[in-house]
Amino acid sequence: MSNATHFSPLLRAIHWLMAAGLLAMLFIGVSMVTDLSPRHSVLVALHKPLGLILLALAVLRLIVRLARPVPALPASMPRWQRRLAGLSHLLLYGLMIALPLVGWAMQSAAGNPVVLNGSLVMPPIAPRDADLHGWLRLAHTVLAYLLFAGILAHLAAALHHALILRDGVLSSMTTGRGIRPAPDGQ
């Protein structure tokens, strides 16, 4: 059991940096697949390196999350909600890591290089194969929708804690004021 009442400043910074990056990626991704104008190549050129940056941040975030104490959820939360919160966080971490890896593999299967900048090209992580590319493209799309749904659920839960329960869960990741201890007798 952790005595922490708020997330570390480093974890909060990574969280909010990733939140902005993930939302940008989701909107870039949707724009990419619906836009065949000259902007398309610009969107693709943004999407690939941003995906790898978000992958690196997700791995760093997971390491920091495992290495630093985090606040326990309020004791007033029913056990099933605490378990659901834990499972939803595992799902979000899994998606934040799997989605860019599947995207990278998809590009590898298509024979498209993943370029971080003009001279830094990532190695392929899957064999060139049109059928594999098709499956990975579908998987990338499905995972992106799942991540978007997960983000919406995460946001809804955060707002529920902030506006209805007012238990400090959201402030533990924003201002750092943290989760209020349960009153005596609870």
Side-chain angles (χ1 to χ4, degrees), residues 52 55 99-109 114 122-125 140:
L52 290 177
L55 172 61
L99 189 58
L101 286 174
V102 169
W104 185 0
M106 176 184 72
Q107 291 302 308
S108 298
V114 176
M122 301 302 290
I125 61 169
H140 192 66

Side-chain angles (χ1 to χ4, degrees), residues 55-77:
L55 172 61
L57 283 172
V59 170
L60 174 63
R61 180 176 174 179
L62 184 59
I63 291 168
V64 172
R65 169 73 174 75
L66 293 172
R68 305 243 173 142
V70 297
L73 291 169
S76 59
M77 279 180 68

Side-chain angles (χ1 to χ4, degrees), residues 76-122:
S76 59
M77 279 180 68
R79 180 183 216 171
W80 70 268
Q81 285 182 0
R82 282 187 256 149
R83 284 191 176 169
L84 186 60
L87 288 173
S88 70
H89 280 96
L90 283 175
L91 179 64
L92 284 171
Y93 276 104
L95 288 169
M96 290 185 297
I97 292 170
L99 189 58
L101 286 174
V102 169
W104 185 0
M106 176 184 72
Q107 291 302 308
S108 298
N112 298 328
V114 176
V115 180
L116 283 177
N117 66 32
S119 62
L120 183 57
V121 178
M122 301 302 290

Side-chain angles (χ1 to χ4, degrees), residues 116-174:
L116 283 177
N117 66 32
S119 62
L120 183 57
V121 178
M122 301 302 290
I125 61 169
R128 190 170 184 169
D129 181 306
D131 289 334
L132 178 61
H133 173 262
W135 282 106
L136 291 170
R137 183 179 175 118
L138 176 62
H140 192 66
T141 301
V142 169
L143 292 174
Y145 280 118
L146 286 173
L147 180 60
F148 187 61
I151 289 170
L152 289 177
H154 185 70
L155 178 60
L159 291 173
H160 177 73
H161 281 281
L163 301 174
I164 296 170
L165 299 177
R166 298 174 190 237
D167 56 11
V169 169
L170 180 61
S171 68
S172 71
M173 186 51 85
T174 55

